[in-house]
Amino acid sequence: MPAVTFRDETATGKPVAELHLADLPAKMTVRELIRLRVREEVARHNARPSDRFHGLVRPDGAEAELNGYRLREPRRIDWERQADIAERAFHANGFFVLAGDRQVEDLDEEVDLTTDPDLVFVKLVPLAGG
């Protein structure tokens, strides 16, 4: 069964974080992959809740900080809500996804994990004053 590596990078290509998951189907949609990633990030956080969350999108009531988000207090996070936020962020160009050497542009696009096992997520930061 294929595995996938989710890697966060800056717009200049600098690696920021990485998550590896094994035993996946050969093909998955971008939507399924984003939801899988978010569910895994939230499960890891909820196993040991803290006041910091390292994930793709910001939880409600959290403040952005370098490579993550600060919660007001340690708490559990709802993965389905986070996944919905991630889908909306993808549509609003809050981040983009590269599979192999190409940018995927549709949540329903299938990715063949046997040929493109590495997904790169690049978060886009709004410019100040613009």
Side-chain angles (χ1 to χ4, degrees):
M1 302 272 295
V4 67
T5 299
F6 298 100
R7 187 171 45 257
D8 291 345
E9 292 183 359
T10 65
T12 61
K14 178 183 173 191
V16 178
E18 191 171 285
L19 173 66
H20 184 78
L21 298 176
D23 300 325
L24 300 176
K27 292 183 178 183
M28 295 180 74
T29 66
V30 175
R31 180 187 318 275
E32 291 168 330
L33 288 161
I34 289 172
R35 293 184 76 82
L36 173 68
R37 175 195 167 149
V38 169
R39 187 177 71 217
E40 182 64 24
E41 289 171 345
V42 171
R44 290 178 183 204
H45 172 83
N46 287 345
R48 298 184 70 157
S50 75
D51 65 347
R52 298 207 190 309
F53 177 72
H54 300 283
L56 181 60
V57 292
R58 179 173 46 187
D60 294 325
E63 295 178 22
E65 61 180 20
L66 187 61
N67 301 327
Y69 304 99
R70 184 180 212 27
L71 304 169
R72 290 186 185 119
E73 59 187 44
R75 65 177 167 94
R76 295 180 58 80
I77 296 173
D78 177 355
W79 83 265
E80 289 176 312
R81 174 134 175 79
Q82 285 299 105
D84 292 343
I85 292 169
E87 284 185 32
R88 286 193 302 274
F90 180 87
H91 278 296
N93 297 319
F95 65 89
F96 63 89
V97 179
L98 301 172
D101 61 353
R102 65 186 172 80
Q103 180 177 342
V104 292
E105 297 181 5
D106 189 301
L107 285 173
D108 295 318
E109 185 175 335
E110 272 195 341
V111 175
D112 184 345
L113 298 177
T114 61
T115 58
D116 291 322
D118 295 330
L119 295 181
V120 174
F121 289 71
V122 180
K123 295 180 188 179
L124 301 175
V125 180
L127 298 174

